[in-house]
Amino acid sequence: MTKQYLKPLALAVSLALTLTACGKSEQAAAPAPPPASTAAAASTAPAAASTSAAVDTGKSIFDVSELDPTINACQDFNGFVNAKWVAANPIPQDRTRWGAFDQLADASLNTQHDIVDAASKNAAQAKAGSIEQKIGYLYQSGMDDAAIEKAGFDPIKPKLDAIAGLKSGSDVADYITKSYAEGDGQVFQFGAGADFQHADMQIAYANEAGLGLPTKDYYSDAKYKDIRDAYVAYIAKTLELTGVAEADAKKQADDVLAFETKLAAASLSPVEERDPKNEYHFVSVKAADQVTPHFSWDKFFTAQGVTIDKGFSLSQPKFFAEFDKQLASAPISQWQAYLRFHTIDDASNYLSKNFQDNRFDFYGKTLAGQPQQKPRWKRVLGAVNGSMGEALGQLYVAKVFTPEAKERAQELVDNVRNALKARIENLDWMSAETKAKAIDKWNTFLPKIGYPDKWRDWSGLNVTPDNYYANVQAAAKFNYEYDLAHIGKPTDRKEWGMTPQTVNAYYNPTDNTINFPAAILQPPFFNAKADDAINYGGIGAVIGHEASHGFDDQGSQFDGAGNNKNWWTKDDRAKFDARTQKLVDQFDAYAPLKDKPDLHVNGKLTLGENIADLGGMNVAYDALQAALKAHPEEASQKIDGYTEDQRFFLNWARVWRGNVREKQAVLYLNTDPHAPASLRAIAAPSNMPAFASAFQCKAGDAMVRPDDKQVKIW
């Protein structure tokens, strides 16, 4: 898929092991199924589900022995559902978290491992130029420890020599321009994306980047001094590994931190990044050159082979003004230190073991608290995903995903979408005028399920069996050029932004699509043999979640065509903001880490995901009730002693079971737009009277929010 500079809204923080290719990850792209029929869209109530309860399925569907009867479901629903499992399933040493998502991702990785291992063994005999051969050679080269160790850092010596030869800010600008053309960008991001004002067309975007620490606060806040010190030590050691003397490496490391601190001061916070007005600033090339008089955008575009018509998005002018200021004023030695470090850092995962270990020590151990690196095969598989992810997905789908599963998932999508439409039409706080616009947007949703109908062409990418770094770099350049080829062309809504083997789902506001990769369409989310409650509490809520993103605080600023345009009356937007503020307040009050009671969830940062969880749960519950109404004999039956309503909520909580290391948890709280999983298990249900009814909870119970605190949006 082309880069989206308003980030696609995913169900969860990504679990794909995509070690980026020299800092650039492969963007999947391919067509998808057609939109839901207009006949279905005309319904004013949820369609009945065609799935049916399987009362004799036993513990394989939902193992009730995992529930903890010593914990009151009305007081701690997450504990009731997940505490026993969490206690019995410690986080593996090579992980920072472990839960239902991670288990499913691990299963996907094992399947992918079988695929790439077989491709590697058979690569020499495979059809020349086939994806099987290219994936096989790529994986084979990544697993060739002897060749990688022998090469050391030789693969990047030409780049380091070029940096050493820079003599002026003008040289730096030329170097950045040339480096980008080779698929190895520095300082900022550049690529294609839908125009926020004319979403049917792709334009060029330049966005801020260039920082090695998680957010701008890590450069200035006193509480992160230890991390800054560790970062400087990491930079110095990284430089030393390429032969820089210890004293000089320390000075250069200090220069890098000082340089990045200036960039950070001009950068956005995570909350600010969620505001569409901070992600789009359309300018002519001439106007952009006025922002950066020491960096020629015309020269840059020519080098990239890109033709710019009316203009492009220089998305964060403040950042680019600071970038230009540093071109004019920063000592060349400081620029060299910065570029040298990031060149090594970007390449470290593809160089010899000492570079890999050094990078892991900081980003894995120090920042995230991960005790051990993942085994080599998982790291190399991550690089395969980052470089040729959709090609691997093509082989993955052929092995594990059936057309029948896709068809069943489509039925659930239709039913949940219809439940959302009914919810919108029956809102008591929204005017008829805004409702009509909301339904217009609903009508243009494009669901994409499982995998593309047409796969991307990989001809032109050359991969050899014996040069890992060169292979990854070739893929980075290939994918970069593929991305740039979209500029100036119509937006293709059928392209995918996740690979089929990714355990996740997403909504894209600039093309109004909801997307469900094959890897998430399996237990505990989806099971063709399960009763309706399990499927609606799992994948049904996921479908509702992604559809609700079209109407969250961010998605609601885009119309059905994907344009960043207001379709609300002033009064309705004020009512919406008042309701969402209650959700901000709810999450601001959560302090999920026992040892850090003063560290709270950021309600504004996580607002979009929290709206989507609440909306998704409500519409999935409505769809379940429609299914049970059509099959009343199921509505009155219990499975393993639990009603369908109870099993709906039980499976929702099971999806979010898991544990996370404290350092990683802190990092998530600072950077992740998703709330901690343990809170997602309880937050939406606590706002739903249906939950209290299902478990006979009373006013005053922790899982029953008072009427004045209860959040009702969609």
Side-chain angles (χ1 to χ4, degrees):
M1 160 179 153
T2 55
K3 289 185 181 68
Q4 296 295 331
Y5 288 103
L6 183 67
K7 296 177 182 178
L9 303 163
L11 174 69
V13 62
S14 178
L15 293 168
L17 294 175
T18 50
L19 298 178
T20 57
C22 296
K24 314 297 177 294
S25 60
E26 182 265 328
Q27 301 291 332
S37 69
T38 53
S43 172
T44 58
S50 62
T51 54
S52 60
V55 296
D56 59 349
T57 51
K59 293 183 179 180
S60 63
I61 299 298
F62 190 101
D63 187 354
V64 296
S65 70
E66 293 179 341
L67 302 176
D68 190 341
T70 68
I71 298 176
N72 188 328
C74 295
Q75 298 298 337
D76 179 9
F77 191 57
N78 180 60
F80 171 68
V81 177
N82 296 324
K84 284 177 66 175
W85 186 94
V86 169
N89 291 272
I91 304 171
Q93 290 294 96
D94 65 348
R95 297 274 187 159
T96 60
R97 49 182 271 190
W98 189 246
F101 272 86
D102 308 88
Q103 281 188 313
L104 205 51
D106 227 35
S108 175
L109 283 178
N110 287 330
T111 300
Q112 295 170 53
H113 187 204
D114 291 341
I115 293 170
V116 297
D117 192 51
S120 175
K121 292 174 180 176
N122 300 320
Q125 291 76 41
K127 181 181 178 181
S130 64
I131 60 172
E132 289 86 353
Q133 185 180 71
K134 292 177 182 183
I135 287 172
Y137 280 158
L138 178 57
Y139 184 74
Q140 189 179 123
S141 68
M143 294 300 291
D144 190 349
D145 287 330
I148 294 169
E149 288 303 306
K150 182 179 180 181
F153 70 98
D154 286 353
I156 62 171
K157 282 183 178 178
K159 293 182 180 180
L160 297 179
D161 290 343
I163 292 169
L166 301 176
K167 300 183 183 306
S168 66
S170 177
D171 287 350
V172 171
D174 289 344
Y175 174 82
I176 291 172
T177 294
K178 181 180 178 182
S179 183
Y180 249 109
E182 295 171 351
D184 187 18
Q186 298 284 1
V187 188
F188 57 87
Q189 294 179 335
F190 180 72
D195 188 334
F196 276 22
Q197 296 303 313
H198 305 280
D200 59 337
M201 292 297 296
Q202 295 282 302
I203 62 169
Y205 280 78
N207 275 53
E208 66 183 28
L211 304 181
L213 292 176
T215 72
K216 63 183 299 178
D217 288 348
Y218 280 79
Y219 290 90
S220 56
D221 197 313
K223 65 185 175 184
Y224 300 123
K225 182 182 183 304
D226 289 347
I227 291 178
R228 286 194 294 274
D229 290 344
Y231 183 48
V232 169
Y234 165 63
I235 296 170
K237 186 173 181 181
T238 300
L239 296 169
E240 287 179 47
L241 290 176
T242 62
V244 179
E246 181 178 353
D248 194 21
K250 175 63 170 67
K251 179 182 182 304
Q252 289 187 44
D254 289 337
D255 281 348
V256 172
L257 181 67
F259 185 87
E260 290 187 17
T261 299
K262 293 176 182 177
L263 293 183
S267 298
L268 301 172
S269 70
V271 170
E272 290 169 333
E273 286 179 347
R274 293 195 68 254
D275 190 337
K277 73 174 182 288
N278 292 329
E279 297 296 328
Y280 177 85
H281 181 70
F282 192 85
V283 295
S284 66
V285 175
K286 182 179 180 179
D289 281 341
Q290 292 175 348
V291 177
T292 61
H294 300 91
F295 186 84
S296 169
W297 288 101
D298 185 61
K299 184 184 292 187
F300 177 81
F301 294 140
T302 299
Q304 313 312 307
V306 171
T307 299
I308 300 299
D309 185 13
K310 295 179 180 179
F312 71 107
S313 178
L314 190 71
S315 299
Q316 295 86 28
K318 180 181 177 182
F319 173 87
F320 285 98
E322 182 62 35
F323 160 59
D324 187 77
K325 179 181 177 182
Q326 295 309 311
L327 284 174
S329 63
I332 190 63
S333 60
Q334 189 173 36
W335 265 111
Q336 287 173 316
Y338 172 81
L339 293 171
R340 183 178 295 118
F341 162 66
H342 281 286
T343 295
I344 305 166
D345 179 61
D346 287 350
S348 288
N349 288 324
Y350 318 109
L351 303 178
S352 53
K353 186 175 184 296
N354 52 348
F355 288 92
Q356 299 169 40
D357 292 347
N358 179 48
R359 194 175 199 281
F360 171 75
D361 283 346
F362 177 69
Y363 285 108
K365 289 183 180 178
T366 300
L367 268 185
Q370 182 175 327
Q372 296 177 4
Q373 284 198 78
K374 290 180 173 63
R376 178 73 184 170
W377 72 265
K378 286 188 178 181
R379 288 180 277 142
V380 175
L381 180 54
V384 174
N385 268 301
S387 299
M388 295 186 67
E390 188 181 310
L392 178 55
Q394 186 173 347
L395 304 182
Y396 173 86
V397 165
K399 186 178 179 70
V400 304
F401 196 67
T402 66
E404 290 78 15
K406 187 171 184 175
E407 183 179 351
R408 295 294 295 277
Q410 181 68 61
E411 293 171 358
L412 286 166
V413 168
D414 291 343
N415 295 340
V416 173
R417 285 184 64 241
N418 287 333
L420 174 60
K421 182 183 182 184
R423 279 251 163 189
I424 294 171
E425 291 175 330
N426 291 310
L427 289 175
D428 60 3
W429 59 269
M430 181 179 280
S431 69
E433 179 181 351
T434 304
K435 281 183 184 180
K437 297 292 181 59
I439 296 301
D440 285 345
K441 181 169 186 175
W442 179 92
N443 278 324
T444 60
F445 270 139
L446 173 62
K448 298 185 295 189
I449 298 171
Y451 54 90
D453 291 334
K454 181 180 179 182
W455 298 99
R456 182 178 161 187
D457 181 8
W458 294 88
S459 58
L461 172 61
N462 296 316
V463 182
T464 66
D466 55 2
N467 195 327
Y468 187 38
Y469 178 83
N471 286 337
V472 172
Q473 186 61 45
K477 186 174 188 294
F478 181 82
N479 289 316
Y480 177 62
E481 291 173 348
Y482 174 82
D483 181 40
L484 296 193
H486 291 76
I487 294 172
K489 295 180 179 177
T491 296
D492 184 355
R493 297 178 73 205
K494 294 182 178 181
E495 288 192 323
W496 279 68
M498 277 182 184
T499 63
Q501 63 272 28
T502 302
V503 182
N504 216 330
Y506 72 98
Y507 169 77
N508 190 340
T510 58
D511 64 16
N512 201 28
T513 60
I514 50 177
N515 307 265
F516 309 98
I520 201 171
L521 297 172
Q522 54 186 313
F525 294 95
F526 174 70
N527 188 332
K529 297 180 180 179
D531 51 298
D532 285 323
I534 295 299
N535 280 328
Y536 280 106
I539 197 63
V542 171
I543 295 164
H545 173 103
E546 301 308 339
S548 294
H549 267 312
F551 305 98
D552 70 13
D553 63 311
Q554 190 181 73
S556 64
Q557 297 183 58
F558 292 78
D559 63 17
N563 297 313
N564 182 206
K565 293 182 178 179
N566 179 44
W567 46 270
W568 296 69
T569 68
K570 184 177 180 180
D571 185 56
D572 285 335
R573 175 57 76 172
K575 291 177 181 177
F576 175 80
D577 290 344
R579 288 169 182 267
T580 60
Q581 183 58 46
K582 292 175 69 174
L583 203 56
V584 171
D585 295 341
Q586 176 179 337
F587 278 84
D588 278 345
Y590 289 131
L593 302 180
K594 292 181 180 179
D595 295 337
K596 296 182 180 296
D598 295 331
L599 187 58
H600 289 246
V601 176
N602 187 329
K604 288 185 177 180
L605 177 61
T606 59
L607 179 57
E609 299 300 329
N610 299 332
I611 292 172
D613 276 355
L614 181 57
M617 283 290 282
N618 275 307
V619 298
Y621 180 80
D622 287 355
L624 171 63
Q625 300 314 304
L628 295 178
K629 185 177 181 180
H631 301 281
E633 72 282 0
E634 297 171 10
S636 60
Q637 291 179 342
K638 291 185 177 181
I639 302 175
D640 293 329
Y642 290 92
T643 66
E644 285 289 271
D645 276 18
Q646 289 173 329
R647 286 170 67 80
F648 170 84
F649 289 106
L650 289 172
N651 200 39
W652 167 257
R654 177 173 66 163
V655 162
W656 299 111
R657 68 173 32 158
N659 199 5
V660 60
R661 299 188 191 280
E662 186 176 272
K663 284 186 176 181
Q664 181 68 79
V666 171
L667 192 59
Y668 283 154
L669 287 173
N670 290 333
T671 62
D672 187 13
H674 305 84
S678 59
L679 298 179
R680 297 180 74 176
I682 64 171
S686 74
N687 286 297
M688 297 173 65
F691 174 86
S693 175
F695 289 91
Q696 294 84 52
C697 301
K698 307 181 300 296
D701 287 339
M703 285 297 298
V704 181
R705 298 182 65 77
D707 289 344
D708 62 332
K709 300 291 185 182
Q710 198 172 104
V711 184
K712 299 178 182 179
I713 304 172
W714 299 107

